[in-house]
Amino acid sequence: MPIVEGVVVEGDHRGRELGFPTANLMPREDEVCPEDGVYAGHVIRADGTRHVSAISVGRRPTYYDEEGRLVVEAHLLDFDGDLYGERLIVQIDEFIRPQLRCNSVAELRQRIADDVAAVRASRVARGDIPG
Ligand SMILES: Cc1cc2nc3c(=O)[nH]c(=O)nc-3n(C[C@H](O)[C@H](O)[C@H](O)COP(=O)(O)O)c2cc1C
């Protein structure tokens, strides 16, 4: 199970506008990361709490061309709080789909909503979270 660890940095502040705020980690280019895609996994906070998350690894092709910076973004399910500056461990364990270049913000929002539903269903089935 790949793990990415780092301090949460400021993103482009698009996440809240999309309805899915994310904690963004910027791995070094030489850091071992899973291939670009969307995954189910967990975020472990500095206080030890573990949160089921929908995780995006990639260069946000909807907004940036090939030169976009590699970002690991985690949307923590059922969580509403400020994670900026906090050190997180991101455990990536189930591939959901590749990164897509969406044609509109509405399309990307729908994709992410579907991802979050898929993560929830998978984790409820495993007993990680209540249904
Ligand atoms: C579950 C999930 C799936 C995502 N899938 C894509 C994708 O397929 N294509 C893309 O360009 N960005 C994708 N993103 C990244 C969004 O573009 C990004 O979260 C949004 O632009 C907010 O960025 P910000 O945190 O820098 O403001 C995904 C994000 C999440 C949480």
Side-chain angles (χ1 to χ4, degrees), residues 1-6 8 21-25 39-56 72-77 79 83 86-93 119 123 128:
M1 180 193 333
I3 285 180
V4 178
E5 190 172 353
V8 178
T22 57
N24 293 10
L25 305 183
Y39 296 86
H42 287 90
V43 164
I44 300 164
R45 294 188 63 192
D47 65 5
T49 54
R50 203 158 175 265
H51 299 262
V52 168
S53 301
I55 300 157
S56 166
V72 175
E73 296 187 55
H75 172 74
L76 285 61
L77 272 63
F79 177 82
L83 296 170
E86 188 169 319
R87 177 165 287 277
L88 300 182
I89 296 170
V90 180
Q91 292 181 332
I92 298 171
D93 53 42
V119 169
R123 300 299 129 159
D128 283 355

Side-chain angles (χ1 to χ4, degrees), residues 10-16 18 20-24 37-39 54-56 59-64 71 73-75 84 97-102 108 111-113 115-116 119:
E10 297 255 345
D12 300 333
H13 300 281
R14 232 181 278 111
R16 279 190 188 278
L18 273 170
F20 297 95
T22 57
N24 293 10
V38 178
Y39 296 86
I55 300 157
S56 166
R59 297 167 197 276
R60 297 176 293 194
T62 303
Y63 297 97
Y64 298 99
V71 194
E73 296 187 55
H75 172 74
Y84 287 122
R97 64 167 172 89
Q99 284 283 326
L100 299 169
R101 185 188 298 271
C102 299
L108 179 59
R111 289 280 183 181
I112 297 177
D115 298 330
V116 169
V119 169

